């Protein structure tokens, strides 16, 4: 739990107690093994139960005066704790509180607790003020982040590439890519700031998000002209933008440039290239690349395996899907995640492999935190009943009900 990491107990004033109302009980399937001649009717009844069950209601009471009082109490306690220099260094406490307030639309309260920090000597520390700028960005309050950055000289706080990067990061968090590009192009000369690799990486990401890939690639030339070396993170962002938008040849040119510059690719770089190769149906090359990254000491994660699995799903290759799902299950560094199950289970059903679909479904619901949709579970139970596998259907039903209890 995030509160455990902050050292805050559930009874602490920082924990917002949201009032939940309505019926939050999960749907229950109540079937018994049917006779073969009744299977079709049972399927229809079960489908009705699964697909037409009213959605459980859980209402967060943010509009009531009682809840507003809790928010005000949270802000009051936060401001009181802020008198402690030790508390002001607790990044996670700040981040968690701002996130909770942002999720509830409490922007005025966020501004209140962050503006409150200006009275403390930490505001003269660029790293502290940059943190506040980042927090505003995380709450998608870019105007306030910009205002704080502008106020830094008046707060006797220096502005260097460190706070400049925090401001660019706030733009990314707020998804205001136009503003990021504008700031990147205007502020360095205006404030005598020299952008570093992180600055350029942020600009590249903004250009990629806007699909201005020529501009993104040109950043590498500008970096070279200014004596700034791109790193694996820089190339990872650019490679991801190119490969994931079908620009395979441009991605390959960038990959080769990365190698020419002796930049060692990280897992993100490899994953982006594997994605590109699977999309281009260059399956053998993708598998060789996966082996290469293992040889380099970079072990594939669930995302890597899912890329390969999804590529073979698109190809309709049942044997390869089974093979790579088994490899993921046997991996010592990765494990199937919810994306694995929601892609492979429907594929198995579509190709008549009810045994694989049942195995995956049972594996998914057996692990706490993996929430398969009612629709997917219902389809598996439906198909089991059609094949007169009532015992298996009931076993899956019981597992699903238990996992949602």
């Amino acid at each position: 739990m995030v509160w455990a990491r902050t050292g805050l107990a559930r009874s602490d004033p920082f924990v917002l107690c949201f009032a939940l109302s309505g019926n939050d009980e999960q749907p229950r399937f109540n079937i018994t093994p049917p006779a073969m001649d009744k299977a079709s009717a049972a399927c229809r009844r079960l489908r009705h139960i699964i697909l037409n069950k009213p959605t459980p209601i859980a209402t967060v009471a943010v509009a009531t005066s009682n809840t507003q009082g809790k928010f005000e109490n949270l802000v009051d306690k936060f401001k009181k704790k802020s008198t402690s220099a030790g508390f002001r260094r607790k990044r996670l406490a700040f981040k968690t509180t701002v996130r909770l307030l942002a999720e509830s639309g409490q922007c005025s309260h966020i501004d209140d607790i962050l503006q409150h920090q200006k009275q403390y000597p930490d505001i003269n520390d660029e790293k502290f003020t940059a943190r506040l700028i980042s927090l505003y960005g995380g709450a998608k309050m870019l105007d306030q982040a910009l205002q704080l950055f502008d106020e830094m000289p008046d707060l006797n706080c220096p502005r260097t590439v460190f706070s400049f990067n925090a401001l660019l990061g706030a733009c990314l968090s707020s998804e205001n890519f136009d503003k990021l590009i504008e700031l990147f192009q205007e502020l360095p000369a205006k404030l005598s700031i020299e952008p570093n690799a992180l600055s350029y990486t942020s600009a590249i990401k903004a250009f990629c998000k806007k699909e201005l890939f020529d501009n993104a690639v040109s950043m590498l030339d500008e970096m070279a002209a200014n004596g700034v070396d791109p790193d694996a993170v820089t190339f990872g962002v650019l490679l991801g933008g190119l490969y994931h938008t079908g620009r395979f040849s441009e991605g390959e040119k960038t990959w080769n440039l990365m190698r020419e510059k002796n930049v060692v690719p990280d897992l993100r770089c490899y994953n982006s290239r594997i994605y590109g190769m699977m999309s281009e149906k260059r399956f053998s090359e993708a598998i060789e690349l996966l082996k290469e990254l293992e040889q380099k000491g970079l072990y594939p994660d669930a995302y890597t395996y899912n890329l390969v699995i999804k590529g073979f799903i698109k190809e309709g290759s049942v044997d390869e899907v089974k093979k790579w799902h088994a490899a993921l299950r046997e991996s010592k560094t990765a494990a199937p995640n919810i994306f694995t199950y929601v892609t492979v289970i429907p594929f198995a059903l579509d190709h008549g492999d009810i045994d694989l679909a049942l195995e995956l479904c049972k594996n998914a619901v057996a692990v706490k935190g993996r929430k398969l949709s009612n629709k997917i579970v219902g389809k598996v139970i439906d198909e089991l009943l059609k094949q007169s596998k009532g015992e298996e259907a009931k076993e899956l039903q019981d597992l699903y009900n238990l996992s949602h209890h």
Side-chain angles (χ1 to χ4, degrees):
M1 292 293 293
V2 68
W3 293 109
R5 295 196 300 271
T6 63
L8 303 176
R10 287 183 178 273
S11 58
D12 192 280
F14 282 91
V15 181
L16 295 179
C17 299
F18 295 105
L20 299 179
S21 63
N23 178 20
D24 60 353
E25 186 175 343
Q26 295 293 330
R28 294 286 185 268
F29 306 134
N30 185 21
I31 62 172
T32 55
M36 184 179 298
D37 59 341
K38 295 181 180 179
S40 180
C43 290
R44 290 193 296 271
R45 290 197 301 273
L46 184 59
R47 183 178 295 280
H48 176 77
I49 291 172
I50 295 171
L51 301 184
N52 296 312
K53 182 81 174 181
T55 303
I57 299 173
T59 305
V60 181
V62 296
T64 63
S65 58
N66 181 47
T67 301
Q68 281 300 323
K70 290 178 181 177
F71 285 128
E72 291 168 3
N73 183 56
L74 169 69
V75 171
D76 182 59
K77 295 295 183 182
F78 191 97
K79 289 161 73 173
K80 287 180 179 178
K81 284 181 177 288
S82 293
T83 60
S84 165
F87 178 80
R88 295 195 299 273
R89 290 192 292 270
K90 291 185 176 180
R91 294 171 175 269
L92 192 56
F94 274 69
K95 184 177 181 179
T96 303
T97 303
V98 169
R99 178 180 58 80
L100 287 171
L101 291 171
E103 288 175 352
S104 301
Q106 302 295 316
C107 292
S108 62
H109 286 317
I110 293 172
D111 197 36
D112 190 7
I113 63 174
L114 297 186
Q115 290 290 331
H116 181 79
Q117 307 305 314
K118 291 180 179 179
Q119 65 185 286
Y120 301 112
D122 307 59
I123 202 67
N124 306 135
D125 181 353
E126 185 182 18
K127 290 184 178 180
F128 180 79
T129 304
R131 268 177 53 203
L132 302 185
I133 290 172
S134 297
L135 288 168
Y136 274 129
K140 298 189 184 301
M141 299 171 64
L142 184 56
D143 288 342
Q144 288 82 350
L146 290 165
Q147 180 180 344
L148 180 55
F149 183 81
D150 289 340
E151 292 174 349
M152 288 176 69
D154 295 332
L155 296 171
N156 197 29
C157 183
R159 289 188 298 191
T160 70
V161 70
F162 187 85
S163 52
F164 174 62
N165 286 339
L167 185 61
L168 297 182
C171 293
L172 287 175
S173 298
S174 300
E175 299 182 349
N176 194 330
F177 308 118
D178 288 321
K179 190 63 177 179
L180 188 153
I181 293 169
E182 175 190 330
L183 295 173
F184 180 83
Q185 292 174 338
E186 296 180 359
L187 285 187
K190 181 179 179 181
L191 302 179
S192 300
I193 291 174
E194 294 185 5
N196 60 15
L198 179 57
S199 314
Y200 282 103
T201 301
S202 296
I204 288 172
K205 187 169 186 177
F207 282 126
C208 287
K209 288 290 185 179
K210 291 182 64 62
E211 298 193 4
L212 298 172
F213 294 104
D214 289 342
N215 300 74
V217 173
S218 72
M219 287 291 98
L220 296 178
D221 295 330
E222 186 173 325
M223 293 176 76
N226 292 323
V228 179
D229 294 325
D231 55 18
V233 177
T234 307
F235 278 106
V237 170
L238 185 52
L239 290 169
L242 294 171
Y243 284 124
H244 283 261
T245 54
R247 292 168 170 81
F248 184 79
S249 62
E250 296 172 67
E252 290 294 275
K253 290 178 182 178
T254 303
W255 178 273
N256 292 332
L257 177 61
M258 176 179 64
R259 289 304 184 92
E260 290 173 11
K261 290 182 174 292
N262 295 317
V263 174
V264 179
D266 59 13
L267 183 59
R268 178 176 182 174
C269 296
Y270 275 104
N271 281 344
S272 294
R273 195 177 187 214
I274 289 172
Y275 176 94
M277 288 181 169
M278 294 301 294
S279 298
E280 294 290 312
K281 299 187 178 182
R282 301 169 72 154
F283 303 126
S284 60
E285 293 176 74
I287 302 309
E288 285 301 315
L289 193 62
L290 192 150
K291 294 177 180 178
E292 178 186 315
L293 75 89
E294 290 180 316
Q295 294 169 356
K296 300 289 186 180
L298 295 171
Y299 297 101
D301 57 11
Y303 181 70
T304 315
Y305 284 103
N306 285 335
L307 289 174
V308 176
I309 291 170
K310 187 174 181 180
F312 284 122
I313 284 178
K314 289 182 177 180
E315 191 68 8
S317 178
V318 178
D319 290 341
E320 289 295 331
V321 170
K322 285 184 176 181
K323 172 184 174 181
W324 286 100
H325 172 259
L328 175 55
R329 288 289 306 276
E330 295 168 4
S331 171
K332 296 180 180 179
T333 59
N337 57 22
I338 191 64
F339 180 83
T340 312
Y341 294 112
V342 300
T343 53
V344 180
I345 291 174
F347 174 78
L349 288 175
D350 290 343
H351 288 77
D353 196 335
I354 185 59
D355 292 333
L356 177 60
L358 176 59
E359 177 191 353
L360 296 175
C361 216
K362 288 166 67 175
N363 290 339
V365 301
V367 179
K368 188 176 181 181
R370 291 178 182 160
K371 300 296 184 182
L372 282 182
S373 69
N374 295 340
K375 186 175 180 180
I376 290 178
V377 177
K379 284 184 176 180
V380 176
I381 293 178
D382 195 1
E383 187 60 33
L384 288 167
L385 292 173
K386 286 180 181 179
Q387 297 187 21
S388 300
K389 297 184 176 182
E391 290 292 344
E392 291 89 340
K394 188 173 188 306
E395 181 184 3
L396 178 57
Q397 160 216 309
D398 292 340
L399 279 173
Y400 182 81
N401 290 345
L402 182 62
S403 71
H404 286 72
H405 190 271

Coordinates of all heavy atoms in Angstrom, one line a residue, residues 184 196-206 208 216-224 228-242 254-255 257-258 261 263-266 268-269 272:
F184 N 10.8 25.2 -25.0 CA 12.1 24.7 -25.4 C 12.8 25.6 -26.4 O 14.0 25.7 -26.3 CB 11.9 23.2 -25.9 CG 13.2 22.6 -26.3 CD1 14.0 22.0 -25.4 CD2 13.6 22.7 -27.7 CE1 15.3 21.5 -25.8 CE2 14.9 22.1 -28.0 CZ 15.7 21.5 -27.1
N196 N 20.2 20.2 -21.7 CA 21.0 18.9 -21.6 C 20.2 17.8 -22.3 O 19.2 18.0 -22.9 CB 21.3 18.6 -20.1 CG 20.1 18.4 -19.3 OD1 19.0 18.2 -19.7 ND2 20.3 18.5 -18.0
A197 N 20.7 16.6 -22.1 CA 20.1 15.4 -22.8 C 18.6 15.3 -22.4 O 17.8 14.9 -23.2 CB 20.9 14.2 -22.4
L198 N 18.3 15.5 -21.1 CA 17.0 15.4 -20.6 C 16.1 16.4 -21.3 O 14.9 16.1 -21.7 CB 16.9 15.5 -19.1 CG 15.5 15.4 -18.5 CD1 14.8 14.1 -18.9 CD2 15.6 15.5 -17.0
S199 N 16.6 17.6 -21.5 CA 15.8 18.7 -22.1 C 15.4 18.3 -23.5 O 14.3 18.4 -24.0 CB 16.6 20.0 -22.1 OG 17.2 20.3 -20.9
Y200 N 16.4 17.8 -24.3 CA 16.2 17.4 -25.7 C 15.3 16.2 -25.7 O 14.4 16.1 -26.6 CB 17.5 17.1 -26.3 CG 18.3 18.3 -26.8 CD1 19.4 18.8 -26.1 CD2 17.9 19.0 -27.9 CE1 20.1 19.9 -26.5 CE2 18.6 20.1 -28.3 CZ 19.7 20.6 -27.6 OH 20.4 21.7 -28.0
T201 N 15.4 15.3 -24.8 CA 14.6 14.1 -24.8 C 13.1 14.5 -24.6 O 12.2 13.9 -25.2 CB 15.0 13.1 -23.6 OG1 16.4 12.7 -23.9 CG2 14.1 11.9 -23.6
S202 N 12.9 15.5 -23.7 CA 11.5 16.0 -23.5 C 11.0 16.6 -24.8 O 9.8 16.4 -25.1 CB 11.5 17.0 -22.4 OG 11.8 16.4 -21.1
A203 N 11.8 17.3 -25.5 CA 11.4 18.0 -26.7 C 11.1 16.9 -27.8 O 10.1 17.0 -28.5 CB 12.4 18.9 -27.3
I204 N 11.9 15.9 -27.8 CA 11.7 14.8 -28.8 C 10.4 14.1 -28.5 O 9.6 13.7 -29.4 CB 12.9 13.8 -28.7 CG1 14.1 14.4 -29.4 CG2 12.5 12.5 -29.4 CD1 15.4 13.6 -29.2
K205 N 10.1 13.9 -27.2 CA 8.8 13.2 -26.9 C 7.6 14.0 -27.3 O 6.6 13.5 -27.8 CB 8.8 12.9 -25.4 CG 7.6 12.1 -24.9 CD 7.7 11.6 -23.5 CE 6.6 10.7 -23.2 NZ 6.7 10.2 -21.8
A206 N 7.7 15.4 -27.1 CA 6.6 16.2 -27.5 C 6.4 16.2 -29.0 O 5.3 16.1 -29.5 CB 6.9 17.7 -27.1
C208 N 7.2 13.8 -31.0 CA 6.7 12.4 -31.4 C 5.2 12.4 -31.0 O 4.4 11.8 -31.8 CB 7.4 11.3 -30.6 SG 9.1 11.0 -31.2
A216 N 11.5 15.7 -34.6 CA 12.1 14.9 -33.5 C 13.5 14.4 -33.9 O 14.4 14.5 -33.1 CB 11.2 13.7 -33.2
V217 N 13.6 13.9 -35.1 CA 14.9 13.4 -35.6 C 15.9 14.5 -35.6 O 17.1 14.3 -35.3 CB 14.8 12.7 -36.9 CG1 16.1 12.3 -37.5 CG2 13.9 11.4 -36.8
S218 N 15.5 15.7 -36.0 CA 16.4 16.9 -36.2 C 17.0 17.3 -34.8 O 18.1 17.9 -34.8 CB 15.7 18.1 -36.8 OG 14.8 18.6 -35.9
M219 N 16.3 16.9 -33.7 CA 16.9 17.2 -32.4 C 18.2 16.5 -32.2 O 19.1 17.0 -31.5 CB 15.9 16.7 -31.3 CG 14.7 17.6 -31.2 SD 15.0 19.3 -30.5 CE 15.0 20.2 -32.0
L220 N 18.4 15.3 -32.8 CA 19.7 14.6 -32.7 C 20.8 15.4 -33.3 O 21.9 15.5 -32.8 CB 19.6 13.3 -33.3 CG 18.6 12.3 -32.7 CD1 18.6 11.0 -33.5 CD2 19.0 12.0 -31.2
D221 N 20.5 16.1 -34.5 CA 21.5 16.9 -35.1 C 21.8 18.2 -34.3 O 23.0 18.6 -34.2 CB 21.0 17.4 -36.5 CG 20.8 16.2 -37.5 OD1 21.6 15.2 -37.3 OD2 20.0 16.3 -38.3
E222 N 20.8 18.7 -33.7 CA 21.0 19.9 -32.8 C 21.8 19.5 -31.6 O 22.7 20.3 -31.1 CB 19.6 20.5 -32.4 CG 19.7 21.8 -31.6 CD 18.4 22.4 -31.4 OE1 17.5 22.3 -32.3 OE2 18.2 23.0 -30.3
M223 N 21.5 18.4 -31.0 CA 22.3 17.9 -29.9 C 23.8 17.8 -30.3 O 24.7 18.2 -29.5 CB 21.8 16.6 -29.4 CG 20.4 16.6 -28.8 SD 19.8 15.0 -28.3 CE 20.7 14.7 -26.8
A224 N 24.1 17.2 -31.4 CA 25.4 17.0 -31.9 C 26.1 18.4 -32.1 O 27.3 18.6 -31.7 CB 25.5 16.2 -33.2
V228 N 25.9 17.9 -27.0 CA 25.1 17.1 -26.1 C 25.0 15.7 -26.6 O 24.5 15.5 -27.7 CB 23.8 17.8 -25.8 CG1 23.0 17.0 -24.8 CG2 23.9 19.2 -25.4
D229 N 25.4 14.8 -25.8 CA 25.3 13.4 -26.2 C 24.0 12.7 -25.9 O 23.6 12.8 -24.7 CB 26.4 12.5 -25.6 CG 27.8 13.0 -26.0 OD1 27.9 13.3 -27.2 OD2 28.8 13.0 -25.2
P230 N 23.3 12.2 -26.8 CA 22.0 11.5 -26.5 C 22.4 10.2 -25.8 O 23.4 9.6 -26.0 CB 21.4 11.2 -27.9 CG 22.6 11.1 -28.8 CD 23.6 12.1 -28.3
D231 N 21.5 9.7 -24.9 CA 21.6 8.5 -24.2 C 20.6 7.5 -24.6 O 19.8 7.7 -25.5 CB 21.6 8.7 -22.6 CG 20.4 9.5 -22.2 OD1 19.4 9.5 -22.9 OD2 20.4 10.0 -21.1
A232 N 20.5 6.4 -23.9 CA 19.6 5.3 -24.3 C 18.1 5.8 -24.1 O 17.2 5.4 -24.8 CB 19.8 4.1 -23.4
V233 N 17.9 6.7 -23.1 CA 16.6 7.2 -22.8 C 16.1 8.0 -24.0 O 15.0 7.9 -24.5 CB 16.5 8.0 -21.5 CG1 15.1 8.6 -21.3 CG2 16.9 7.1 -20.4
T234 N 17.0 8.9 -24.5 CA 16.7 9.7 -25.7 C 16.3 8.9 -26.9 O 15.3 9.1 -27.5 CB 17.9 10.6 -26.0 OG1 18.4 11.3 -24.9 CG2 17.6 11.6 -27.2
F235 N 17.2 7.9 -27.2 CA 16.9 7.0 -28.3 C 15.7 6.2 -28.1 O 14.9 5.9 -29.0 CB 18.1 6.1 -28.6 CG 19.2 6.8 -29.4 CD1 20.4 7.2 -28.9 CD2 19.0 7.1 -30.8 CE1 21.3 7.9 -29.6 CE2 19.9 7.7 -31.6 CZ 21.1 8.1 -31.0
G236 N 15.4 5.8 -26.8 CA 14.3 5.0 -26.5 C 13.0 5.7 -26.9 O 12.0 5.1 -27.4
V237 N 12.9 7.0 -26.5 CA 11.7 7.8 -26.8 C 11.5 7.9 -28.3 O 10.4 7.8 -28.8 CB 11.9 9.2 -26.2 CG1 10.8 10.1 -26.7 CG2 11.8 9.1 -24.7
L238 N 12.6 8.2 -29.0 CA 12.5 8.4 -30.5 C 12.2 7.1 -31.2 O 11.3 7.1 -32.1 CB 13.8 9.0 -31.0 CG 13.9 9.3 -32.5 CD1 12.7 10.3 -32.9 CD2 15.2 10.0 -32.8
L239 N 12.8 6.0 -30.8 CA 12.6 4.7 -31.4 C 11.1 4.3 -31.2 O 10.4 3.8 -32.1 CB 13.5 3.6 -30.9 CG 15.0 3.7 -31.3 CD1 15.8 2.8 -30.5 CD2 15.1 3.5 -32.8
G240 N 10.6 4.5 -30.0 CA 9.2 4.2 -29.7 C 8.3 5.0 -30.5 O 7.3 4.4 -31.1
G241 N 8.6 6.3 -30.7 CA 7.7 7.1 -31.6 C 7.7 6.6 -33.0 O 6.6 6.6 -33.7
L242 N 8.8 6.2 -33.5 CA 8.9 5.8 -34.9 C 8.4 4.4 -35.2 O 7.5 4.2 -36.0 CB 10.4 5.8 -35.4 CG 11.1 7.2 -35.4 CD1 12.6 7.1 -35.6 CD2 10.4 8.1 -36.5
T254 N 17.5 5.1 -37.2 CA 17.8 5.6 -35.8 C 18.5 4.6 -35.0 O 19.4 4.9 -34.2 CB 16.5 6.1 -35.2 OG1 15.8 7.1 -36.0 CG2 16.7 6.7 -33.8
W255 N 18.1 3.3 -35.1 CA 18.7 2.3 -34.4 C 20.2 2.2 -34.8 O 21.1 2.1 -33.9 CB 18.0 0.9 -34.7 CG 18.7 -0.3 -34.0 CD1 19.7 -1.0 -34.5 CD2 18.3 -0.8 -32.7 NE1 20.0 -2.0 -33.6 CE2 19.2 -1.9 -32.5 CE3 17.4 -0.4 -31.7 CZ2 19.1 -2.7 -31.3 CZ3 17.3 -1.2 -30.6 CH2 18.1 -2.3 -30.4
L257 N 22.0 4.6 -36.1 CA 22.7 5.7 -35.6 C 23.1 5.6 -34.1 O 24.2 6.0 -33.7 CB 21.8 7.0 -35.8 CG 22.4 8.3 -35.2 CD1 23.7 8.7 -36.0 CD2 21.3 9.4 -35.4
M258 N 22.2 5.0 -33.3 CA 22.4 4.8 -31.9 C 23.7 3.9 -31.7 O 24.5 4.2 -30.9 CB 21.2 4.1 -31.3 CG 21.4 3.7 -29.8 SD 19.9 3.0 -29.1 CE 19.8 1.5 -30.1
K261 N 26.9 5.7 -32.5 CA 27.3 6.6 -31.4 C 27.7 5.9 -30.1 O 27.9 6.5 -29.1 CB 26.1 7.6 -31.1 CG 25.9 8.6 -32.2 CD 24.8 9.6 -31.8 CE 24.6 10.7 -32.8 NZ 25.8 11.6 -32.8
V263 N 26.0 4.1 -28.2 CA 25.0 4.1 -27.1 C 24.4 2.7 -26.9 O 23.9 2.1 -27.9 CB 23.8 5.1 -27.4 CG1 22.8 5.0 -26.3 CG2 24.4 6.5 -27.5
V264 N 24.5 2.2 -25.7 CA 24.0 0.8 -25.4 C 22.5 0.9 -25.3 O 22.0 1.6 -24.4 CB 24.7 0.3 -24.2 CG1 24.2 -1.1 -23.9 CG2 26.2 0.3 -24.3
P265 N 21.8 0.2 -26.1 CA 20.3 0.2 -26.0 C 19.8 -0.5 -24.7 O 20.4 -1.4 -24.2 CB 19.8 -0.6 -27.2 CG 21.0 -1.5 -27.6 CD 22.2 -0.7 -27.2
D266 N 18.8 0.1 -24.1 CA 18.2 -0.5 -22.9 C 17.0 -1.3 -23.3 O 16.7 -1.5 -24.5 CB 17.8 0.6 -21.9 CG 16.8 1.6 -22.5 OD1 16.2 1.4 -23.5 OD2 16.6 2.7 -21.8
R268 N 13.8 -0.7 -23.2 CA 12.8 0.0 -23.9 C 13.2 0.1 -25.4 O 12.3 0.0 -26.3 CB 12.7 1.4 -23.3 CG 11.7 2.3 -24.1 CD 11.5 3.6 -23.4 NE 10.5 4.4 -24.1 CZ 10.0 5.6 -23.7 NH1 10.5 6.1 -22.6 NH2 9.1 6.3 -24.4
C269 N 14.4 0.3 -25.7 CA 14.9 0.4 -27.1 C 14.6 -1.0 -27.8 O 14.1 -1.0 -28.9 CB 16.4 0.7 -27.2 SG 16.8 2.4 -26.6
S272 N 10.9 -1.6 -28.4 CA 10.4 -0.8 -29.5 C 10.7 -1.4 -30.9 O 9.9 -1.5 -31.8 CB 10.9 0.7 -29.5 OG 10.4 1.3 -28.3

